[in-house]
Amino acid sequence: MKHTILSLLFALSAAVATMAADYTLDVRLSPTAKTVSGSLLLEWTNDTEFPAPDLRFHLHFNGWESEKTSFMNSWRWRDRDLDDWGEGDWGGTEVTSLIYVRSLPAAEGDEEGVPRREDFDLTGRIEYIQPDDSNPHDRSVMRVVLPQPVAAGETIRVEMEFSTKVPRTFARTGFRGDYYFLAHWFPKLGVFEKNGTWNCHQFIQTEFYSDFGDYDVKLQVPAGWTLGATGQPQEVRDNGDGTATHHYTQQRVHGFAWVSSPQLTEHRRRFEHETLPPVEMRLLLMPDHAGQEDRYFRATEASLRYYGEWFGAYPYQHVTIVDPAWESGSGGMEYPTLFTGGSRWLTPFGSDRPESVTVHEMGHQFWYGVIANNEFEHAWIDEGFNSYSQLRTQMVAYPEVYLTERYFKGFIPLLFRGLPRARRTVAGQSDELEKDIMARPSWQLGPDAYGINSYTKPALMLLTLERHLGWEVFQPAMAAFYSEYSFRHPTPEDFFRVLEEQTGQDLQWFWDETYYSSNVFDYGVSQVDTDRLERPFVVVRRFGESRFPVRTRVTFEDGTNALEEWDGQGRWQDYYYEPGQKIVRVEVDPDEVLALDVNRTNNTWVRQAPSSFAAKKWALKWMVWMQNVMETYAFHF
């Protein structure tokens, strides 16, 4: 009964979602030519109040046509070493035929109720536009002006023939030997927004935004090759010519990715939970990682369980986990009902591979897969939410994870069981957070600001909110956001509104300090005087520009302590105590509520600490700080 109710709730949420683009694809992979070619049928409904005078499609693989594309010239990719790339290593998509089909009412004398077709061959009208940077060498957005606008509420069909050249592995897609991973590989319609404009950005970064729809896909690959894809397999047909056709279907998703290789082996397990729907888990494993099946499945189950309990159920009945080929560059990425993990040949128990990548990418199935905001413009709603959720999940599911270093060019791992990995993400140096504001569209963030503002800062922002509001208040608010905006492409303003409505608090001050500002938080002990004849005192200071209410705990020699509350608005705050009270310890933000504090080394003062104790304390602080900084910069790769 519980599972039935959950399914009904998701069906109701889908009814109010944008469900405008359905795809039927029939394609063939040629390992010799390194191409995927075939036909595409798109059925699109204009669910806005405005007519659509044209259609705009993403051709993501055209971002890898040459070194002159906008993708190759973005700051994230321009320094990649391509000296050994040959002509056959590049990618691209060509649309060879485009037929636009409109349905007309049945004419007199026609079979009753059967509409007629009106076909327009628009192949000659194909053009390439550059709405973001006017780069004439970029063909990642295809535009077709229609003979007649698509009216509000009208449904049209587009029939295409296309061929995609698969590149040598680039940005988590491509081929590596006989391993093929295909993501964003077909012409994909942009999103016609409610205001009557197209949201169809050039391919500049690997974050995406698409309408939800139904997919019916037939994939022809060499016979004997294992294949995994978005959705559920319907049948596998041997074509008698050395190839086989795999048929997959899936409803209510906003993309379709697939993988095929003769090396992959299949493993299955079922996720069961007393209050969550069951999920069939399918793992496609590379032979050099044999024996890691349990670790992959357990990490997937951890995300399904804790994300489901905390935020809301995973709405699909299946998920495919892909263990990527060595040096394929396809690891650690999410797609609807399918994600790629990441492991190593030697991975001792107690390290965080493949667990951390698996928890993170399975977690994306909730925020990326179901919430599905516009990541090109607001990547943090997915990446930051998921980084926060992953941190919470790993703290519960994997309480004992230790620092692991690899030697001999990363081949031999060494597990340091005496050094637990840090259990919170830290921001690192303040100048990193100051490079740009979170409110800037993600694709426009400056150099080195994307990772901080998409992953680290929003994760710390959510963790700070959780600790400030309390889990019993914050968790239901997050669950309400997940429920209200499943399959609906929310904006940052939608999230802010739900949080304030659910908590009953005006949080504008917090968004102003975090989302709309690049200032940093830094509170610490400024001065302590405990040996004077007058009243002993403590001075706490706001070293950063951002403001947040902080608590200070002052411990005295007799074991008693005082808890001081400060709104954090001023530059400093002092506290005086009775003569004769000896202060032995001062802690600013002792409960670490302000996870966004960029420098916790100034948060604690200890009176006359023994030299050995002090040396050990500072060595441990700096070691943990450095470890966290290193994790922060590696977190989004």
Side-chain angles (χ1 to χ4, degrees), residues 445-510:
L445 287 169
D448 302 323
Y450 180 85
I452 288 291
N453 283 303
S454 298
Y455 293 76
T456 308
K457 185 176 180 180
L460 293 170
M461 185 177 83
L462 294 174
L463 186 59
T464 298
L465 266 182
E466 176 201 320
R467 294 173 176 176
H468 175 66
L469 298 171
W471 176 246
E472 68 282 355
V473 173
F474 185 68
Q475 180 269 322
M478 292 289 285
F481 175 69
Y482 182 80
S483 174
E484 182 173 346
Y485 282 100
S486 292
F487 310 106
R488 293 187 61 193
H489 307 313
T491 66
E493 291 72 26
D494 293 325
F495 173 65
F496 299 157
R497 177 188 58 79
V498 170
L499 260 289
E500 293 187 2
E501 289 179 354
Q502 292 294 317
T503 62
Q505 298 192 30
D506 182 355
L507 297 172
Q508 187 61 48
W509 65 271
F510 185 75

Side-chain angles (χ1 to χ4, degrees), residues 163-451:
S163 180
T164 292
K165 169 64 176 64
V166 182
R168 178 175 162 183
T169 298
F170 213 118
R172 297 169 178 168
T173 192
F175 72 88
R176 178 75 177 182
D178 57 6
Y179 171 90
Y180 284 78
F181 193 90
L182 282 300
H184 313 290
W185 50 279
F186 57 91
K188 196 174 188 184
L189 191 68
V191 177
F192 196 59
E193 300 282 19
K194 298 299 183 182
N195 62 4
T197 62
W198 282 104
N199 192 306
C200 191
H201 289 284
Q202 293 167 244
F203 184 42
I204 296 176
Q205 68 176 30
T206 52
E207 304 296 348
F208 309 97
Y209 176 45
S210 303
D211 282 325
F212 284 94
D214 298 342
Y215 283 76
D216 188 316
V217 184
K218 294 179 179 178
L219 305 162
Q220 188 178 136
V221 299
W225 284 32
T226 301
L227 190 144
T230 293
Q232 291 181 302
Q234 301 302 311
E235 65 170 342
V236 179
R237 184 181 70 248
D238 191 321
N239 298 320
D241 59 357
T243 68
T245 298
H246 298 248
H247 184 195
Y248 278 76
T249 62
Q250 181 60 55
Q251 296 179 323
R252 246 185 348 177
V253 290
H254 53 92
F256 188 98
W258 57 288
V259 63
S260 189
S261 172
Q263 301 183 57
L264 293 166
T265 59
E266 181 183 57
H267 308 267
R268 290 182 178 270
R269 192 169 296 179
R270 183 178 173 88
F271 168 77
E272 299 277 2
H273 189 281
E274 61 180 5
T275 62
L276 296 171
V279 179
E280 295 293 335
M281 300 178 293
R282 182 188 185 211
L283 169 64
L284 303 182
L285 194 68
M286 296 300 292
D288 52 328
H289 298 154
Q292 297 190 33
E293 298 92 323
D294 285 345
R295 297 178 67 176
Y296 266 116
F297 282 127
R298 183 188 168 198
T300 303
E301 290 170 340
S303 289
L304 285 167
R305 174 185 174 181
Y306 292 111
Y307 283 59
E309 290 177 350
W310 296 335
F311 311 122
Y314 177 68
Y316 307 105
Q317 298 175 343
H318 52 88
V319 67
T320 297
I321 310 146
V322 179
D323 175 55
W326 170 249
E327 293 188 334
S328 68
S330 62
M333 196 63 182
E334 69 280 357
Y335 309 95
T337 78
L338 177 148
F339 67 89
T340 58
S343 190
R344 303 290 288 271
W345 177 49
L346 294 175
T347 306
F349 285 98
S351 67
D352 67 347
R353 287 292 185 99
E355 286 80 5
S356 65
V357 179
T358 305
V359 169
H360 185 83
E361 303 308 333
M362 179 62 224
H364 272 303
Q365 297 298 317
F366 293 79
W367 301 121
Y368 153 86
V370 177
I371 295 299
N373 70 291
N374 185 343
E375 287 195 84
F376 198 90
E377 296 179 4
H378 307 294
W380 69 274
I381 294 183
D382 170 41
E383 299 294 356
F385 278 46
N386 194 42
S387 297
Y388 159 78
S389 307
Q390 175 197 357
L391 176 65
R392 277 199 120 267
T393 298
Q394 289 190 250
M395 290 176 66
V396 176
Y398 298 99
E400 296 183 5
V401 176
Y402 302 98
L403 180 65
T404 305
E405 296 290 346
R406 288 185 173 269
Y407 301 93
F408 299 101
K409 296 185 177 181
F411 186 68
I412 302 297
L414 183 59
L415 188 71
F416 294 89
R417 292 195 176 275
L419 296 175
R421 289 180 68 91
R423 281 307 177 187
R424 65 177 178 85
T425 310
V426 300
Q429 297 176 344
S430 62
D431 60 348
E432 296 300 318
L433 285 171
E434 293 171 333
K435 287 184 175 180
D436 215 332
I437 62 173
M438 278 179 61
R440 185 182 300 279
S442 301
W443 70 278
Q444 293 179 346
L445 287 169
D448 302 323
Y450 180 85

Side-chain angles (χ1 to χ4, degrees), residues 516-577:
Y516 295 105
S517 172
S518 62
N519 292 332
V520 298
F521 297 89
D522 183 12
Y523 287 89
V525 182
S526 176
Q527 186 178 357
V528 179
D529 190 330
T530 188
D531 295 319
R532 296 171 44 151
L533 295 177
E534 297 93 331
R535 297 169 64 192
F537 67 88
V538 171
V539 178
V540 177
R541 182 168 292 277
R542 175 170 60 84
F543 297 102
E545 297 302 316
S546 291
R547 296 169 172 84
F548 191 84
V550 294
R551 171 180 291 179
T552 298
R553 181 164 60 206
V554 180
T555 304
F556 302 102
E557 193 172 46
D558 62 2
T560 62
N561 60 65
L563 287 177
E564 310 288 2
E565 304 287 347
W566 177 33
D567 64 10
Q569 297 298 305
R571 273 296 176 184
W572 58 274
Q573 177 67 46
D574 56 1
Y575 304 106
Y576 285 83
Y577 303 97

